[in-house]
Amino acid sequence: MTDKNRVVIFDTTLRDGEQSPGATMSHEEKLEIAQMLDEMGVDIIEAGFPIASEGDFAAVSEIAKQSRNAVICGLARAQLPDIDRCWEAVRHARRPRIHTFIGTSPLHRAIPNLDMDQMAERIEQTVTHARNLCDNVQWSPMDATRTEHDYLCRVVEIAIKAGATTINIPDTVGYTAPRESADLIRMLLERVPGADDVIFATHCHNDLGMATANSLAAVEAGARQIECTINGLGERAGNTALEEVVMALKVRHDIMPFTTGIDTTKIIGISRRVAQVSGFPVQFNKAIVGKNAFLHESGIHQDGVLKNVETFEIMRPADIGLNETNIAMGKHSGRAALRAKLSDLGYDVGDNQLKDIFVRFKALADRKKEVYDEDIVALVQDASANTGDDFLQVKHLRVVCGSDGQSADLTMIVDGTEQTVHATGDGPVDACFNAVKQIFPHSATLKLYQVHAVTEGTDAQATVSVRMEEEGRIVNGQASDTDTILASVKAYVGALNHLIVRRTRAGRDGKEISMYSH
């Protein structure tokens, strides 16, 4: 790097982000997200963990072949077969990278039962092997923030001498605080021979809600690569969110004079798409991309914004790709208006998808007085989540509820065959779910059932999220409708369709590898 003020953005949505329980993406969805990341200017895309499964290997390989600008990176444990498999996947990229890691803290050294010297030898061997394959090698000491400082300096020096070009310092469990994050980077830069010849990176988890602050503190101390994910998706409480660090660097350029190559106007589009394909909706008060990020309800705030928007807004919606012009949408709106509105909302849809969304839009407009932007976003998500190609499809639902009892008459198409059942339950939703179980028996348990109104009013669409688990496989389903019960059934059936895909994938790939990563 020649520009010391340039911060490299390393996106790991397709690797660490997909490790969120239930966030598994299809092959096509991974390729789509990778293309969006490439187009928005992400410097490095960590496309996956190639040895984890045949599906992951295929996705990383295809992303490597299709990428135009970004470095394409694959993850590998400190094992030679992992590194070889990773290289086979990324070698087709214009700019490939191998990322290998091992846990260096006392807790993590105990897992493979290696003493300090044995681990040091493993690091030298595996980094050397990776560098012999690829001239762009990243190395990570997993759980670095809980590793003894003297030992951390020792192994970082070994990795640099073995050929690592990027040294990533992960806060694997989200334990550190901003001052500690900065001090750790400064210490390594001062104490480790050869530190000036490599790029130091920071990878922060959000268990204590400080991931973004820790990442920015590390940059101020000398780190020049931030590892992050779209919407902060990732293990447990997630990772540093790409949108947060990028906009923080842009807004506070006065105190953090660093630049990135990110096109911020593409942020809202990719945020919504990742939320859609992962099944993890963005919380309303999420920084930058949440529904309420640019809304004002307080009278004082509203008055101030009307007089001068800068009184209560430090950035404009247009900065992240939200179009400030409004197209009134209703039952008389045509396809051209709908396409324009979708474009304003960050969605670039093909003709076939537009046709499907338009049919749903017209049906919704006939039922609602006003169709809001949030309604249209929900339509897009519902159109992608429930397709005519699904193994299970809801055809007809009739529910009876009241003080005399609850029952459901459900008709579904199962692999092309129509089936109808009658079921009862403790409430209308329970009756409907019991009906689905009669048609498609399964052992999955319901872990989450959540309903929220997309907009205000009694005619508002409801978006229902469902999470289910079967034999360690966690899947999500999401659906929207003005009928909350119907949305619940669609979400439940959607989760089952995802489960069927996971079952098929597990059968094809064999036993899924245990991914023990930072």
Side-chain angles (χ1 to χ4, degrees):
M1 286 173 54
T2 56
D3 184 358
K4 294 298 183 182
N5 287 331
R6 176 75 153 79
V7 175
V8 174
I9 300 299
F10 178 112
D11 186 273
T12 184
T13 302
L14 299 175
R15 199 277 298 171
D16 199 330
E18 204 200 13
Q19 287 177 213
S20 301
T24 300
M25 304 176 197
S26 70
H27 181 82
E28 291 74 20
E29 289 167 345
K30 288 183 180 181
L31 298 185
E32 179 188 357
I33 297 301
Q35 182 180 353
M36 295 178 77
L37 291 169
D38 199 25
E39 291 174 352
M40 79 183 298
V42 165
D43 298 282
I44 303 109
I45 299 172
E46 189 166 51
F49 187 16
I51 205 168
S53 70
E54 290 298 325
D56 230 30
F57 178 85
V60 176
S61 298
E62 194 62 33
I63 291 169
K65 294 173 184 175
Q66 294 185 8
S67 174
R68 297 179 183 177
N69 305 302
V71 172
I72 302 302
C73 176
L75 185 69
R77 295 168 299 185
Q79 298 177 13
L80 301 188
D82 274 46
I83 294 170
D84 289 339
R85 189 65 167 161
C86 180
W87 173 240
E88 285 299 314
V90 302
R91 63 183 303 184
H92 304 289
R94 294 183 181 182
R95 301 161 65 198
R97 173 181 290 191
I98 294 173
H99 177 194
T100 183
F101 73 95
I102 193 169
T104 55
S105 70
L107 286 168
H108 287 258
R109 291 198 301 268
I111 293 173
N113 194 28
L114 296 176
D115 61 30
M116 289 182 172
D117 292 337
Q118 290 171 326
M119 179 164 286
E121 291 174 6
R122 173 80 65 85
I123 293 166
E124 181 178 22
Q125 177 194 30
T126 52
V127 174
T128 299
H129 183 69
R131 184 56 189 267
N132 287 336
L133 297 172
C134 181
D135 62 5
N136 189 336
V137 174
Q138 175 169 316
W139 178 74
S140 294
M142 183 165 62
D143 205 20
T145 56
R146 295 192 296 176
T147 299
E148 306 94 321
H149 285 188
D150 288 345
Y151 188 63
L152 184 61
C153 289
R154 176 186 173 189
V155 292
V156 167
E157 181 180 358
I158 288 171
I160 292 174
K161 288 181 177 179
T165 52
T166 298
I167 301 295
N168 176 47
I169 305 301
D171 182 23
T172 302
V173 293
Y175 177 75
T176 198
R179 185 172 63 182
E180 294 172 323
S181 178
D183 288 346
L184 190 58
I185 295 295
R186 288 194 191 97
M187 180 203 69
L188 292 169
L189 288 170
E190 292 170 358
R191 291 180 54 182
V192 176
D196 292 337
D197 299 326
V198 300
I199 297 172
F200 275 82
T202 179
H203 179 115
C204 300
H205 282 260
N206 204 39
D207 297 69
L208 295 177
M210 293 189 284
T212 296
N214 287 333
S215 294
L216 294 173
V219 167
E220 288 192 273
R224 286 297 177 268
Q225 176 178 298
I226 298 178
E227 303 205 356
C228 45
T229 60
I230 301 298
N231 299 336
L233 200 65
E235 292 272 12
R236 305 181 311 278
N239 294 286
T240 300
L242 178 146
E243 59 274 9
E244 293 178 5
V245 292
V246 169
M247 293 307 296
L249 292 174
K250 180 175 182 176
V251 171
R252 294 311 311 269
H253 200 259
D254 54 335
I255 62 171
M256 292 183 290
F258 307 112
T259 62
T260 72
I262 297 296
D263 180 355
T264 64
T265 64
K266 296 185 181 295
I267 284 177
I268 194 66
I270 194 169
S271 169
R272 287 171 169 169
R273 185 58 179 145
V274 168
Q276 179 184 352
V277 302
S278 68
F280 279 60
V282 178
Q283 65 193 61
F284 283 11
N285 63 335
K286 176 79 167 65
I288 316 298
V289 293
K291 176 182 176 182
N292 293 346
F294 295 97
L295 295 182
H296 306 273
E297 179 150 338
S298 162
I300 295 174
H301 282 231
Q302 290 174 344
D303 181 64
V305 168
L306 288 172
K307 292 174 179 175
N308 184 344
V309 71
E310 293 183 359
T311 56
F312 289 108
E313 287 188 7
I314 60 173
M315 67 193 87
R316 304 298 300 126
D319 291 343
I320 63 168
L322 283 170
N323 196 311
E324 296 180 82
T325 61
N326 288 319
I327 300 174
M329 300 299 294
K331 63 181 180 180
H332 300 296
S333 299
R335 293 193 189 192
L338 180 60
R339 186 187 288 277
K341 171 59 74 174
L342 288 169
S343 178
D344 288 345
L345 294 172
Y347 293 103
D348 182 15
V349 300
D351 291 339
N352 289 336
Q353 190 178 10
L354 177 65
K355 180 179 178 181
D356 183 38
I357 296 170
F358 185 69
V359 171
R360 295 168 184 262
F361 164 74
K362 282 293 189 179
L364 178 65
D366 283 337
R367 301 198 303 268
K368 292 196 63 177
K369 294 180 180 179
E370 295 181 81
V371 179
Y372 299 96
D373 288 358
E374 292 81 5
D375 289 315
I376 295 173
V377 171
L379 284 177
V380 176
Q381 296 174 346
D382 196 46
S384 298
N386 300 280
T387 71
D389 297 329
D390 288 334
F391 185 84
L392 304 174
Q393 299 173 47
V394 178
K395 182 176 181 180
H396 175 75
L397 175 67
R398 180 176 180 272
V399 178
V400 176
C401 60
S403 58
D404 294 332
Q406 295 79 32
S407 64
D409 295 298
L410 175 65
T411 300
M412 288 177 53
I413 299 174
V414 181
D415 195 20
T417 302
E418 189 173 302
Q419 298 184 38
T420 300
V421 298
H422 174 83
T424 59
D426 186 14
V429 174
D430 187 52
C432 291
F433 287 5
N434 287 339
V436 174
K437 288 180 183 178
Q438 285 187 36
I439 292 176
F440 185 74
H442 59 84
S443 59
T445 56
L446 184 66
K447 295 296 184 181
L448 172 72
Y449 171 74
Q450 181 174 293
V451 182
H452 75 263
V454 174
T455 57
E456 66 273 12
T458 56
D459 62 350
Q461 282 195 99
T463 292
V464 179
S465 299
V466 166
R467 179 174 298 171
M468 304 177 72
E469 180 178 4
E470 180 189 66
E471 297 179 357
R473 302 186 188 97
I474 298 176
V475 292
N476 292 314
Q478 191 177 84
S480 300
D481 200 281
T482 52
D483 185 329
T484 304
I485 306 302
L486 182 57
S488 300
V489 175
K490 287 181 177 179
Y492 190 79
V493 171
L496 289 175
N497 279 317
H498 289 149
L499 183 61
I500 292 168
V501 172
R502 291 288 298 275
R503 286 175 179 173
T504 303
R505 181 182 300 172
R508 181 177 64 247
D509 295 346
K511 186 177 180 181
E512 296 176 7
I513 192 169
S514 176
M515 183 157 42
Y516 189 68
S517 66
H518 67 277

